Amino acid sequence: VDNPPEVECQPISMAMVQAARDLGNVRVANIIALSIMMELTDLCQAETLRNLVESRMPQRFVSLNLEALEVGVDLAKSVNSAKKTEKRQ
């Protein structure tokens, strides 16, 4: 982003599309993004997202999307871990 808006937040960059490709389907990047937002904010509980994936998605996509949820959580946790390390230094 060349000119980020002036707001009280910190932009972060994550390899969501690459993570989706690593899972074998770039279309799950949106699920990865959603789980990142869930993990970094109080958007909703992880169990709520899991239940939605299991109840609303066609069965053939459930496993892939549940895996994408976990990948997003892991990416978000890596950002939180890096921020904590920066604060200590």
Side-chain angles (χ1 to χ4, degrees), residues 64-78:
L64 176 63
N65 281 279
L66 289 174
E67 197 172 349
L69 286 174
E70 294 304 317
V71 167
V73 167
D74 291 344
L75 283 171
K77 286 181 179 177
S78 70

Side-chain angles (χ1 to χ4, degrees), residues 32-51:
I32 292 171
L34 185 59
S35 64
I36 288 169
M37 288 187 298
M38 181 242 0
E39 184 67 23
L40 296 178
T41 69
D42 291 327
L43 180 66
C44 66
Q45 298 295 314
E47 191 61 29
T48 301
L49 284 182
R50 281 189 214 98
N51 289 340

